[in-house]
Amino acid sequence: DHRARFLAVRNQGRRPTCLAFAISDAHAADRPPHRSLSVNYLYYYALQRMPLHHGDNGVGTAEALAALDQDGQPLEATWPYSPVLPADRLTWRPPAGVAVHHGSGTARHATFDAICRELEAGRCAVVVFQPSESFHYIKADGILPARSGRPLPQLHAVIAVGHGRQAARRLILVRNSWGLGWGERGHAWL
């Protein structure tokens, strides 16, 4: 259980920034002393790598990892997250000349066992998947119900921060970016 390596769960609001939040928080957890890194900065540079006319519709894994590697991230206080983009997107620019922290990652198709191996080796894993409607409804025991209902229209990213068992069921503990009110202070067992 790697929850202690992270600061409090943040809330992405209505923006499609879950991947930028997951990568930013995983990156910060690997850089003691744990200080929040700018989600806006990572998202901005990943968005620049998306196809023309993509709009503010989230970013791809390859683009976000390239931004992390090539552009890095400053501390969150340098360019704080905003739950909405400004009406004039031309004014939405990162601050210049700031100190950034670079990171790296590898995108791959991971199995449940591979995620558990990463956790046992002391590394958290960003997991991108297509949740169903049941992802919104966590049981009293903190476990997400089995996939049911319609698949949600967008992919979603969370951080695998732990794993365990409940009877014969193997579970992964995930950290979401929907604030402290989701699950158990932003976490749930999947």
Side-chain angles (χ1 to χ4, degrees):
D1 183 344
H2 296 286
R3 282 180 281 191
R5 293 175 47 199
F6 292 83
L7 298 171
V9 171
R10 300 185 283 171
N11 191 342
Q12 73 183 65
R14 294 194 159 289
R15 288 182 60 201
T17 53
C18 58
L19 182 59
F21 266 94
I23 290 174
S24 296
D25 287 351
H27 185 202
D30 286 341
R31 305 187 73 77
H34 310 296
R35 296 181 291 176
S36 294
L37 297 171
S38 176
V39 172
N40 266 350
Y41 200 90
L42 181 69
Y43 186 75
Y44 175 87
Y45 282 107
L47 200 56
Q48 303 310 304
R49 291 172 166 82
M50 295 301 292
L52 199 59
H53 306 298
H54 174 75
D56 184 27
N57 292 310
V59 295
T61 304
E63 293 81 4
L65 290 174
L68 180 65
D69 177 52
Q70 296 167 26
D71 303 299
Q73 294 178 272
L75 295 177
E76 177 70 18
T78 305
W79 194 19
Y81 184 73
S82 172
V84 294
L85 286 178
D88 180 4
R89 295 251 323 265
L90 295 176
T91 64
W92 191 63
R93 296 256 186 261
V98 297
V100 297
H101 304 280
H102 294 269
S104 63
T106 305
R108 60 180 171 259
H109 235 80
T111 63
F112 186 96
D113 289 332
I115 293 169
C116 291
R117 282 193 299 276
E118 288 293 311
L119 291 164
E120 288 165 6
R123 295 181 296 269
C124 297
V126 173
V127 179
V128 179
F129 65 105
Q130 185 169 22
S132 67
E133 289 176 333
S134 63
F135 191 72
H136 290 282
Y137 307 106
I138 299 162
K139 299 181 203 170
D141 59 6
I143 298 175
L144 286 158
R147 289 178 60 99
S148 65
R150 294 177 295 132
L152 296 179
Q154 300 270 336
L155 293 177
H156 188 57
V158 295
I159 307 171
V161 297
H163 70 94
R165 289 187 177 273
Q166 181 201 45
R169 293 172 60 189
R170 295 171 61 206
L171 303 166
I172 291 178
L173 180 63
V174 297
R175 172 189 170 94
N176 203 353
S177 54
W178 291 351
L180 295 171
W182 183 85
E184 296 176 339
R185 301 193 54 73
H187 298 80
W189 292 93
L190 179 64

